[in-house]
Amino acid sequence: MTDRSGPATAGEATRTACLWVPDWPVVAALVVAGLGPETPAAVTGGPGGRIIAVSAPARSAGVRRGMRRREAQGRCPDLQLWPADDARDAREFEPVAMAAETVVSGLEIARPGVLLLPSGGAARYHGSERDLARELTEQVAVRTGHECQVGVADGFLAAVLAAREDAVVPPGASRDYLASRPAAVLVHARPGDRALTELVDLWRRLGVHTLAELAALPDAAVAARFGDLGVWAQRLARGQDVRPPARRRLEEDLTVAEELDPPAHRVDVATFAARRLAERLHDDLSRRGLACGRLRITARAVDPVTGEARTLERLWRTDDTLGGLSAARITDRVRWQLEGWLTASSLGEGVAPAPIAGLALAAEEVAPAGALQPRLWGPGAGEDLRAHRAVERVQALLGGDAVLTVRLQGGRDPRDRVQLVPFGEQVPPERDPDRPWPGALPPPAPSVVLPEPVPAHVLDGEGRPVVVDVRLGVSGDPARVVVPGEGTWSGLDAAVVDWAGPWPVAERWWTPQGKRRVFLQVVADGVAAPALGLLLSSSAGEWSLEALYD
C-alpha cells in the first residue's frame, strides 16, 4: 500500500476508509455459478445489453466494458456471460460485509462491492490506518476468499479513488489529491448513473476537464445551472462529504416458529397458531425497538399418505417508516396465505392440498424503528398511511388477492408489460423488464391500455380496408379508423391525420400458440379530443384497437 503525501489543508470531511472488491458483479456471478476467478467472465446490462463488468482474465483477452455481447464473444470465445442481477450482487456481498465487521463493528454498504466506515477510532485501535487496511483485506481474504483493496482519505470520493489505488491519503490532503484528476472520475461515486454521466460530458464540452476546475466554479452558478446533482458533484470535487458514513447497526433477523400437532387441515385452526406467532414476533420487535422491512411466511405441509414434506413460502414487504406491521396485520397476511395453501387452486394443477404441520414467521431487513421519519407535508404526511390501512381492511375482509396493484414486467406490447400482483406482496416479475425485448413497441408508452382489444376497421382514402402484406407493405395510407359495436369506444369514426409503422411482432412462431401481429400508431382527429393517439394491431387481416395515447 502506498502512502500519498501532500500539503495539509482544512477540509469539511470525515476520515473515511473504503473497502472495494474489484469487478464485484462478475465475482458474485462466478460465486453463484461455482466457477473460479480464472474463468473469463462478464456481466451484461443496461441499454442494448452491453458489457458492464469484466473479470481480469476476460480483460486480458481484450474484453472491455461497453462492448456488445457479440464483439466480446468474438474476442474471447470462452467468455461466460450473465445478466446483471442487483439481488445477487447484494446477497453475495453480505459475507464480505460480515468479514469486515470482525475487524470494525459497524459499517455502511455504499453499494455491493463497496463499503465505508469512519476510520478514526478503528485506526487508533489497530495502530494506524495502514494497519486497519491490512487487517480488513486479510480478514476478507481468509473468510470469503475474495481479494479486496482498501483506501483511506478525507471524504467519500477521495476514499473511493484511494481504494482503487490501494492508497492512504494523509489528513487534509484530499483536495490536492483530487485536484488533477479528470472530472470523469465522479462516475465512480455513482456507477451507472446516466444523469451524472451526461453532466460530466456536458462539463467536458464546456471546458471543465478536471476536478480542480469544477471545484473553482462559483457555488451559486453551479447550483443555478446544474441543480442539486451539480452541487453534489462540486462538493465531492472539493474533497468534502455530502454526509459522513453511517454505521451499520448489527441486527439479526427475528424468527418465530411453531409445530402443529396434529397438522392443521382447516384455515381457522392454522390461523389460531398464526395469531400466537404474530403476537410473539410483534412483541419481540417492540421490545427491541425495531421494525422490519420484509416479512417472510413459511409453512411446512406434509402429505398424509406419502409423508413427503413440502415447504411453502411467501415474502411480503412492509413499511418500516410508518411503524411496521401490527400483530393483527401480520395475522391477516398469514391467514391469506393459509387460505391459499390449504386449497388446491394455488398449489398448481394436479397438486392436492396437504395439512400444515409447521409455521414460521421471519422479520427481515430489521432496523431501528423510526430510523426513517415521514415527511411533514406531501404523500408521507398521513395520506399514504390512511390509504394503506383502508386497502388492508378490504384485504382482511375479502382476502389478499382481492386488491391488486400494477407493476411493470417484460413484454413486447403494452398489455403484456402489465403485471397484476396482490397489494403489498413482494413477488418477482414473471418476465424481467430489464432484458432486451426484440420487437417491443417503441416509447412512449400508451396512457390507457384497454383490458381487451376492441375490433376496429382501418380504411384508406377510398374507403377500402388497409391490408399489411408479408413484406410489411400497406395497401394504402390509413385515412379513417372505425370502431363498430357496443362499448366505451363504439361508434368511433375518426380521420387519421398522421401515422407511423407498421411494426411486426412474431412471438413463439414455432409453436401452435405463436402469435404474429403488426402494430400501427395513428393520430386521429375528432375522437374525444383533437389529435388523440391510437395504437392498433393487425392479426390475420383483422384490426383491433389496443391502447390510447394522450
Side-chain angles (χ1 to χ4, degrees), residues 3 40 56 84 106 169 197 203 217-218 262 272 413 445 447-448 454 458 503 522 544:
D3 190 352
V169 181
T197 303
W203 281 332
L217 294 177
F272 184 77
D413 65 65
S447 57
V448 177
V454 176
V458 180
W503 291 278
V522 304
S544 298

Side-chain angles (χ1 to χ4, degrees), residues 444-449 489 521-524 527-535 547-550:
S447 57
V448 177
V449 178
W489 299 99
Q521 291 173 328
V522 304
V523 178
V527 184
L532 179 66
L534 305 176
L535 177 64
L548 299 96
Y549 299 87
D550 286 338

Side-chain angles (χ1 to χ4, degrees), residues 387-411:
H388 278 68
R389 295 290 188 268
V391 171
E392 287 169 353
R393 283 196 294 271
V394 175
Q395 286 182 308
L397 293 172
L398 303 179
D401 294 337
V403 181
L404 303 178
T405 186
V406 176
R407 188 173 60 180
L408 183 69
Q409 65 177 357

